[in-house]
Amino acid sequence: MKNIRNFCIIAHIDHGKSTLADRLLQVTGTVDDRKLVAQTLDDMDLEREKGITIKSHAIQMQYTYKGEKFVLNLIDTPGHVDFSYEVSRSISACEGALLIVDSTQGIQAQTISNLYLALEHDLTIIPVLNKLDLPNAEPELVKDQIVDLIGCERDEILHASGKTGFGVPEILEAICDRIPAPKGDPNGPLQAMIFDSVFNSFRGIIAYYRIFNGSISKNQKVKFMSTNAPYGADEVGNMGLDFLPKQTLFAGDIGYIISGIKTASEVKVGDTITGFENPCQEAIHGFEEVKPMVFAGLYPVDTDDYEELRASMEKLQLNDASLVFEPESSAALGFGFRCGFLGMLHMEIIQERLEREFKMTVITTVPNVSYLAHMTKGEIIEIHNPSELPDPNKLDFVEEPYIKAQIITKSEYTGSVMTLCIGKRGILQNQTYLTADRVELTFEMPLAEIVFDFYDRLKTISKGYASFDYHPVGMKESDLVKMDILLNGEQVDALSALIHRDHAFDLGKRICIKLKELIPRQQFEIALQASIGAKIIARETLSALRKDVTAKCYGGDISRKRKLLEKQKEGKKRMRQVGSVEVPQEAFLAVLKLNS
């Protein structure tokens, strides 16, 4: 056990975690040079295409240092704020962390929040200055920032380049020297924590765990503490680039277990595995429950695919524990699911994965957050969907979730960042200059205002330099109203939105104009209206397709033409009463992108 080192790599987006992980695998000889590709650990097509890490990836490396053989268990983590739950789970399985900082960009918001996560778990931090091969690197300036942030000595900061491989042997030596060996009793009862799982269509559910006490052997009878059901360990082992089966794993090891479980609900991330004959007394304190930030409805395009969509989402939930969903139905779209995501990128990734991995095409409704409705009689109702909002005369007030947003940017963009945040109902709390040209702005703002396109717009106005991180600070009372969209007097519940009263008129007008462009013209006139309760706040009219019924009249007096026109008018009126308007999928998607 004294020669095992469990560590993860944490950093902001695009600071070179996955590239550095590639070099570590290369130097330790874990991956053959022929098999090595850029972002070796990112095994999803989606990760390679977007150039981001979406999932944490664990891998074991062997390294000889001072004549001793060390086993290094590395977990590469994502950097985007939407995947911070992956980072928190990885951190709970480690004793140390490599904190990677890009020497051209310095400390950014996600660097700080991931560092705090690691410090909460008492991890040993090894700061690494990356991308030193670039001509615009500023190592001395960034070193000052790291010293200010962590309070370490300047000579503790390692220099490296993930691209060229410079400094990688020094990093491996520092891991062996500085990170403590795992603690635990190898002879006690088995106590292991599941930190991830995947679904394999041939072998069932494969759970990844870290053993804190005891040992686990092949064919041993084990049980999961949350379900209390016994399972046989058909195969256990370590994770290389492929699975490496072993006879026994001991305390301190990170490994996998295959036990033929087919039902997704039986394996919970954060659960404790223990022996069936000799169980441990208490479960390991896992990580806190995930708090979804953004809610949206996912509906199958064909209602017959509902059960298939449920099965696909359960399998996806195994691999992404931050996805939360429950069934719901909509008058316009039939049966589907109300899903909770950690952010807009997370929502986009889930949609992409459903299409690629499970061949499921889904319709997504307007994303929103959850609200608390306080009734006049004193009861409190949680609302995930605008259609659940009670009648205004029974409603006392509505509370919405607020967040504390940390934005780090170059000082030249301060004005435009402030304008954006204040336009989104943000209140400036603090402004701190980290260096002469880098400023940290802290805003308190409603979560609903950032779930649409805030991050994209922030990147646009700061030319990609601003970094953004947020955490919830609780609920606050707001003047919110429910805005409905009516087509021909009929409400389309998938387009309803809970919105601040000041923004309702503007958004209602824009949605009506957009729908007028996107809904195909019918044989009859269609009224597109936005309303708050009984009050119509915006209207557009989609004119009818006209057929010239008077074309066959060649001469004769006006009464013959009028007779034909009246007959047509009657027909259109009747059509309007019985005709229904189909809203195409593009219209739903366009409404989502309206704020940009």
Side-chain angles (χ1 to χ4, degrees):
M1 227 166 108
K2 69 177 178 35
N3 285 5
I4 295 176
R5 299 288 182 270
N6 297 323
F7 68 99
C8 58
I9 300 183
I10 55 176
H12 189 78
I13 315 153
D14 204 26
H15 279 209
K17 295 178 294 298
S18 299
T19 315
L20 196 66
D22 289 351
R23 295 294 84 76
L24 292 171
L25 298 178
Q26 207 175 5
V27 171
T28 54
T30 308
V31 179
D32 202 318
D33 280 356
R34 285 174 306 135
K35 287 186 181 174
L36 195 78
V37 290
Q39 292 175 267
T40 307
L41 292 178
D42 294 350
D43 49 13
M44 240 186 278
D45 295 344
L46 207 54
E47 293 180 309
R48 299 254 165 89
E49 277 169 34
K50 291 185 177 281
I52 56 173
T53 303
I54 293 167
K55 283 290 303 162
S56 301
H57 299 274
I59 191 164
Q60 189 175 85
M61 307 181 287
Q62 311 283 342
Y63 185 64
T64 309
Y65 173 55
K66 292 183 179 172
E68 286 190 66
K69 274 195 171 177
F70 283 87
V71 173
L72 310 178
N73 290 313
L74 152 73
I75 304 180
D76 180 24
T77 66
H80 197 283
V81 63
D82 279 15
F83 305 113
S84 54
Y85 190 58
E86 288 285 326
V87 183
S88 73
R89 300 205 320 256
S90 308
I91 282 173
S92 61
C94 297
E95 277 82 34
L98 292 183
L99 180 74
I100 313 288
V101 181
D102 184 337
S103 56
T104 61
Q105 299 192 54
I107 300 269
Q108 290 189 281
Q110 209 50 35
T111 319
I112 298 172
S113 67
N114 285 343
L115 172 71
Y116 288 158
L117 268 178
L119 291 174
E120 273 173 35
H121 285 79
D122 291 334
L123 263 59
T124 302
I125 308 291
I126 300 176
V128 178
L129 204 51
N130 196 18
K131 301 194 185 181
L132 279 172
D133 56 311
L134 294 180
N136 58 339
E138 299 176 300
E140 293 310 312
L141 190 69
V142 179
K143 262 189 177 180
D144 292 341
Q145 292 178 16
I146 296 174
V147 171
D148 286 349
L149 182 68
I150 308 176
C152 62
E153 298 297 321
R154 284 180 80 86
D155 53 3
E156 285 178 27
I157 301 168
L158 302 175
H159 289 199
S161 163
K163 198 172 180 183
T164 62
F166 157 70
V168 173
E170 286 78 358
I171 292 175
L172 288 164
E173 287 168 17
I175 290 165
C176 299
D177 280 337
R178 297 192 208 170
I179 294 176
K183 296 181 178 71
D185 176 9
N187 303 315
L190 170 65
Q191 196 182 32
M193 182 180 71
I194 300 174
F195 65 87
D196 206 353
S197 55
V198 292
F199 183 82
N200 182 307
S201 46
F202 302 107
R203 313 200 65 179
I205 292 162
I206 303 169
Y208 301 150
Y209 54 83
R210 152 77 198 272
I211 305 179
F212 285 91
N213 291 304
S215 61
I216 187 168
S217 303
K218 190 178 175 180
N219 299 328
Q220 181 183 342
K221 215 172 180 188
V222 297
K223 71 171 182 179
F224 294 172
M225 290 186 88
S226 68
T227 57
N228 241 348
Y231 303 100
D234 301 342
E235 187 182 303
V236 296
N238 298 118
M239 275 106 55
L241 205 53
D242 299 311
F243 290 137
L244 310 169
K246 293 273 177 72
Q247 193 58 40
T248 308
L249 294 183
F250 296 97
D253 273 328
I254 287 179
Y256 70 93
I257 178 171
I258 299 174
S259 49
I261 304 171
K262 291 282 191 284
T263 320
S265 57
E266 290 180 36
V267 179
K268 291 187 174 65
V269 168
D271 196 4
T272 303
I273 307 176
T274 186
F276 187 68
E277 273 88 20
N278 180 19
C280 61
Q281 293 307 304
E282 56 183 54
I284 299 162
H285 173 61
F287 9 84
E288 59 275 9
E289 281 292 300
V290 58
K291 295 186 191 77
M293 294 286 179
V294 176
F295 292 87
L298 288 188
Y299 293 86
V301 172
D302 183 356
T303 2
D304 298 346
D305 295 339
Y306 174 71
E307 283 304 325
E308 204 179 321
L309 179 62
R310 181 198 289 275
S312 306
M313 287 180 65
E314 281 178 354
K315 288 172 187 170
L316 197 54
Q317 193 178 33
L318 270 177
N319 196 235
D320 183 351
S322 51
L323 171 66
V324 180
F325 64 90
E326 57 183 41
E328 76 162 1
S329 65
S330 146
L333 301 167
F335 289 104
F337 294 97
R338 188 92 199 138
C339 304
F341 307 98
L342 295 182
M344 290 296 276
L345 177 69
H346 186 214
M347 177 172 131
E348 192 186 314
I349 296 292
I350 292 289
Q351 223 176 322
E352 280 273 333
R353 287 184 71 183
L354 280 170
E355 282 184 21
R356 291 183 186 209
E357 295 171 30
F358 303 101
K359 309 283 181 288
M360 294 296 309
T361 313
V362 292
I363 295 173
T364 315
T365 64
V366 183
N368 57 23
V369 298
S370 59
Y371 300 91
L372 289 180
H374 291 255
M375 312 298 282
T376 46
K377 290 184 178 174
E379 63 177 311
I380 300 171
I381 303 171
E382 192 169 343
I383 295 167
H384 295 308
N385 194 334
S387 58
E388 296 169 7
L389 191 73
D391 207 8
N393 50 17
K394 293 180 184 169
L395 194 62
D396 188 11
F397 62 92
V398 180
E399 286 186 320
E400 64 175 329
Y402 267 68
I403 55 150
K404 194 172 196 173
Q406 262 181 313
I407 298 166
I408 296 178
T409 181
K410 287 195 164 180
S411 47
E412 63 198 86
Y413 305 120
T414 310
S416 45
V417 170
M418 279 187 175
T419 309
L420 171 70
C421 293
I422 291 164
K424 295 276 188 185
R425 297 193 281 140
I427 298 160
L428 182 66
Q429 302 274 308
N430 198 358
Q431 180 177 354
T432 319
Y433 278 85
L434 302 172
T435 62
D437 67 335
R438 288 169 66 78
V439 63
E440 181 185 12
L441 302 169
T442 309
F443 280 91
E444 199 167 272
M445 56 204 296
L447 178 62
E449 294 287 347
I450 68 157
V451 299
F452 272 104
D453 59 338
F454 177 78
Y455 191 66
D456 298 343
R457 286 177 67 186
L458 180 68
K459 284 287 179 197
T460 308
I461 59 175
S462 65
K463 299 192 170 61
Y465 277 107
S467 63
F468 171 64
D469 179 42
Y470 62 87
H471 58 267
V473 290
M475 310 292 279
K476 287 192 178 181
E477 187 179 336
S478 284
D479 184 13
L480 297 171
V481 289
K482 179 186 167 200
M483 186 179 72
D484 293 316
I485 301 296
L486 310 174
L487 294 187
N488 248 356
E490 281 188 26
Q491 190 180 325
V492 184
D493 62 346
L495 291 176
S496 296
L498 267 177
I499 187 164
H500 197 268
R501 195 181 294 275
D502 298 350
H503 297 184
F505 292 87
D506 178 44
L507 187 67
K509 184 75 181 163
R510 295 208 334 249
I511 290 180
C512 290
I513 292 170
K514 198 74 186 169
L515 288 175
K516 186 180 177 182
E517 289 170 23
L518 292 163
I519 291 177
R521 284 168 69 186
Q522 310 287 329
Q523 294 282 343
F524 51 92
E525 192 179 84
I526 301 167
L528 307 169
Q529 295 166 310
S531 73
I532 295 173
K535 184 182 179 187
I536 303 294
I537 57 169
R539 172 180 170 133
E540 290 291 323
T541 306
L542 189 63
S543 52
L545 285 168
R546 274 203 64 206
K547 180 183 175 188
D548 190 358
V549 289
T550 59
K552 60 186 180 198
C553 282
Y554 49 91
D557 70 357
I558 188 70
S559 61
R560 291 184 60 194
K561 287 185 179 178
R562 190 164 288 137
K563 185 180 166 188
L564 289 168
L565 287 168
E566 287 297 326
K567 193 176 171 186
Q568 183 188 32
K569 194 172 168 186
E570 283 300 313
K572 297 263 184 211
K573 195 173 171 186
R574 197 164 54 249
M575 237 186 226
R576 185 173 175 176
Q577 283 166 356
V578 295
S580 64
V581 186
E582 289 289 311
V583 183
Q585 165 75 0
E586 304 86 75
F588 287 114
L589 296 176
V591 171
L592 304 193
K593 299 192 174 86
L594 258 188
N595 285 30
S596 45

